[in-house]
Amino acid sequence: MKNTVNYGLLLPIFLMLLLSIWLQYWVATYEDVSAINQGIKQIIFVVIGVGCMVAIKFIDKKLIWKLVPWIYVFSLLLMLSLYFFYDANMYNITGTKRWLDIAGVKFQPSELAKIAYILFISKELIKYDMTNKEKDFHTDLKLLGQLILYSVPLFALMFMQKDFGTSLVFVCVLGALLIAVGLDWRILATIFGILMILGIVLILLVFTEFGNDILASLHFKQYQLNRIKSWRNPYEYSDTIAYQQVQGLVSMGSGGVFGKGSSGIEVYVPVRESDMIFTFIGEAYGFVGASLVIILYFYLFFQIFYAGLKSNSKFNIYICVGIVFMLVFQTFENIGASIGLLPLTGIPLPFLSQGGTSLVATLIALGLIFEMKVYD
C-alpha cells in the first residue's frame, strides 16, 4: 500500500491553477478593473482552495464515511439559509438568491452541495451493494426510488433558486452513478427516454407563446427562454439576446490557428471573465491553445478515474465517477456554449472561470481524490 503524493494528478491541477491566475489577470486588462487586483484575488482563492485540498488529504476516509449524512444535511441547510442571508447586490442584478452573504463573506452553497451530494449518493450505493448480493429489476427499482426521495429536497431548493444550469449538474452526477452501480438497463433506458422527451418538449415550448406562458407559470425566467432562442439562431438576434453568443463565436474564429497573443485581443465578449472565458483562450491562443486546454482537462479526468481504480475501493470509485462527471458536464457545457454547440446556462468552466466558490469547491473535491490510498 502507498500513501504518497499522487504526482500524476497534481500535475494537471498545478497547470490549471497557474492558467487560471494567468487568464484572470489578462482578461481583467480588457475590463474596467485592476488587472493586478484581479490576479491577487485569484491567487488568494487558489491558496484557500489548495489549503482545503491539503487538509482533506489528511482526513481519514472512515471519518468522512461516518459524517456523510450530516454533510449532506448541512449542505441542504446552507442552501435553505439563502432565504435569510442572501447577497442583496447579486439578487438585484440577477433576481435570484444563489449567493450567501455572511459577515461580508460571499459564496454559493450549491457548489459545496455538489460534493455533499456525490458523497451521499456514493455511500447509499455502497450500502445497496452490501445488502443486495443478488440484484434484480425490483431491487434496482427500489434503489432508484430511495435515491429520488433523498434527492427531492435538493432539487426542490434548486428549483426555488431558479438555478436550472446547476440542477443539470446534479442530474448528470446521479445518472453517472446509477450507470456505475450497474442499474438494470430497462430502468436506465426508461429514464433516458423520459429525459429526452422532457428536453424536446421544453425546447418546443420555448418557441410558442402558449408554451412561454406554461414555462412562466413554472417560474422559468425570460432570460432563460432567450438563451434557447439565441442558441437556435444566434445571428438572427445578434444585436439583442444573442449578442454575447455571437461575439463569442467571432472571438473564437478570429483567433485562427495560433491566436493573437494575450495582448492582442480585439473582440469584446460580455462576461468574458466567467461564462465565456474559453473565448479568450480561443482568441488569444488559437485552435492550438484551445485544444491543449481541452487535452489538459481530459488528462485530469483520466487521473481522477485512475486514482479511484488504483485505490481498490468501491466507495472511492463511486466518488471518482461523481467528481469526474461533475467536472465533465461543467466543462462540456461551458465550452459547448462558447463555440455555439449548446445554449448558455451560466455554468462556470472548472478552474478557469472567475468565481472563488467554484474554484475552492473543485479543489475540495480533488482533496478527496488525494486522500485515497493507492494499492499496487
Side-chain angles (χ1 to χ4, degrees):
M1 181 182 73
K2 297 180 181 179
N3 191 22
T4 57
V5 176
N6 186 340
Y7 291 104
L9 179 59
L10 185 61
L11 176 61
I13 293 174
F14 176 72
L15 293 176
M16 283 291 189
L17 292 177
L18 285 182
L19 184 59
S20 74
I21 297 169
W22 175 267
L23 289 175
Q24 288 302 322
Y25 171 83
W26 276 105
V27 169
T29 63
Y30 296 93
E31 307 295 334
D32 190 23
V33 295
S34 168
I36 295 294
N37 289 344
Q38 184 57 38
I40 292 173
K41 183 179 178 181
Q42 192 70 8
I43 291 173
I44 292 173
F45 287 140
V46 167
V47 171
I48 294 173
V50 170
C52 293
M53 183 176 71
V54 172
I56 288 175
K57 173 178 168 54
F58 294 101
I59 299 177
D60 191 280
K61 188 59 66 67
K62 293 179 181 178
L63 177 60
I64 295 176
W65 171 271
K66 292 178 181 179
L67 293 177
V68 163
W70 300 106
I71 294 172
Y72 183 55
V73 171
F74 177 70
S75 72
L76 294 177
L77 291 176
L78 268 182
M79 294 181 68
L80 185 62
S81 68
L82 281 168
Y83 296 94
F84 307 98
F85 305 104
Y86 63 89
D87 184 347
N89 290 331
M90 293 303 297
Y91 176 75
N92 292 333
I93 295 171
T94 65
T96 59
K97 300 176 181 179
R98 300 178 190 173
W99 288 266
L100 265 182
D101 186 353
I102 301 178
V105 178
K106 303 175 182 181
F107 64 96
Q108 285 184 275
S110 60
E111 294 293 337
L112 301 177
K114 294 174 188 176
I115 304 169
Y117 188 67
I118 290 170
L119 288 171
F120 184 78
I121 298 299
S122 296
K123 181 171 182 177
E124 289 302 309
L125 296 184
I126 290 296
K127 290 163 62 177
Y128 174 70
D129 286 333
M130 293 173 64
T131 56
N132 294 274
K133 301 301 180 182
E134 296 293 332
K135 303 174 186 177
D136 55 31
F137 179 85
H138 298 289
T139 59
D140 284 359
L141 197 60
K142 182 179 178 181
L143 169 68
L144 178 62
Q146 289 176 337
L147 295 183
I148 291 175
L149 182 63
Y150 293 142
S151 302
V152 164
L154 175 65
F155 283 101
L157 288 168
M158 294 304 301
F159 178 77
M160 293 169 68
Q161 292 172 22
K162 307 165 188 173
D163 196 348
F164 181 68
T166 304
S167 298
L168 292 178
V169 178
F170 289 108
V171 171
C172 179
V173 166
L174 179 59
L177 288 171
L178 290 176
I179 294 173
V181 78
L183 202 71
D184 190 284
W185 69 268
R186 291 169 292 182
I187 299 176
L188 290 174
T190 302
I191 295 173
F192 181 76
I194 292 173
L195 291 177
M196 283 287 292
I197 293 171
L198 286 176
I200 293 171
V201 170
L202 177 62
I203 292 175
L204 292 176
L205 289 175
V206 170
F207 296 102
T208 63
E209 185 176 343
F210 174 72
N212 279 209
D213 292 338
I214 294 176
L215 293 175
S217 68
L218 294 174
H219 301 287
F220 280 88
K221 294 296 183 180
Q222 188 59 47
Y223 76 88
Q224 294 174 315
L225 306 184
N226 288 343
R227 285 173 173 176
I228 302 294
K229 294 177 181 177
S230 59
W231 165 66
R232 181 194 180 197
N233 190 357
Y235 289 97
E236 182 180 346
Y237 306 99
S238 60
D239 295 327
T240 54
I241 59 176
Y243 178 72
Q244 184 182 29
Q245 289 93 321
V246 171
Q247 290 298 105
L249 292 173
V250 173
S251 175
M252 290 292 297
S254 68
V257 177
F258 298 106
K260 305 172 182 175
S262 300
S263 58
I265 301 299
E266 300 171 342
V267 181
Y268 170 70
V269 181
V271 202
R272 180 161 39 199
E273 73 282 356
S274 182
D275 297 354
M276 305 295 279
I277 190 71
F278 195 72
T279 65
F280 183 90
I281 297 172
E283 185 173 356
Y285 312 115
F287 175 80
V288 172
S291 298
L292 289 175
V293 170
I294 293 174
I295 290 171
L296 184 58
Y297 273 112
F298 274 103
Y299 181 66
L300 172 65
F301 302 151
F302 167 76
Q303 287 296 334
I304 296 173
F305 265 132
Y306 188 67
L309 292 173
K310 292 290 284 184
S311 71
N312 197 28
S313 162
K314 265 195 170 184
F315 186 45
N316 287 342
I317 291 173
Y318 289 147
I319 291 173
C320 287
V321 169
I323 291 174
V324 163
F325 277 89
M326 174 186 75
L327 296 176
V328 165
F329 182 86
Q330 293 179 186
T331 303
F332 180 72
E333 164 54 35
N334 184 282
I335 294 178
S338 297
I339 61 178
L341 288 179
L342 297 169
L344 284 169
T345 58
I347 292 177
L349 185 60
F351 288 100
L352 306 184
S353 288
Q354 186 184 83
T357 309
S358 175
L359 179 60
V360 172
T362 298
L363 290 171
I364 289 174
L366 292 170
L368 294 170
I369 311 299
F370 275 112
E371 190 276 338
M372 296 175 183
K373 296 177 174 63
V374 177
Y375 292 79
D376 288 325

